[in-house]
Amino acid sequence: MQARDKSTGHPLWVVAVVDPDPEARDTSARVKVVAPVLPVLPDAAPGLPFRPVEFDGLTVTAYVNNSGRVAYSFKATGVRVPAPARSSAKSAA
């Protein structure tokens, strides 16, 4: 039986994510997506070894796990193609 979100009753879909940064402390996580239907992941990006995504409504909840360590739970309301990067450079006057 599929898990459901306690507040909305919608199914919880799990998306496995990977941080490609070789210096990242934790390189993988699972994000639970609350949605009435299975979220569709964006197409793979040419030339990348992973599929970039952005999560809508992402919340992070810290808690102490059974071994006494701080852990995090990730929950989102949607998954989409990342927005294009905005340039922070200002044009010369």
Side-chain angles (χ1 to χ4, degrees):
M1 182 172 197
Q2 184 164 1
R4 295 200 170 262
D5 181 60
K6 292 176 185 173
S7 59
T8 65
H10 292 311
L12 291 171
W13 309 93
V14 178
V15 177
V17 296
V18 175
D19 185 344
D21 182 351
E23 296 181 20
R25 181 177 170 200
D26 294 323
T27 58
S28 64
R30 296 171 9 133
V31 178
K32 294 177 183 175
V33 179
V34 179
V37 295
L38 176 66
V40 177
L41 296 177
D43 291 334
L48 292 178
F50 54 87
R51 189 179 306 236
V53 298
E54 280 186 2
F55 291 98
D56 293 318
L58 182 66
T59 59
V60 180
T61 304
Y63 65 95
V64 177
N65 66 16
N66 292 338
S67 61
R69 299 183 66 147
V70 175
Y72 301 93
S73 171
F74 302 93
K75 191 187 283 188
T77 57
V79 181
R80 62 183 157 95
V81 174
R86 296 188 311 197
S87 174
S88 61
K90 295 183 179 180
S91 59

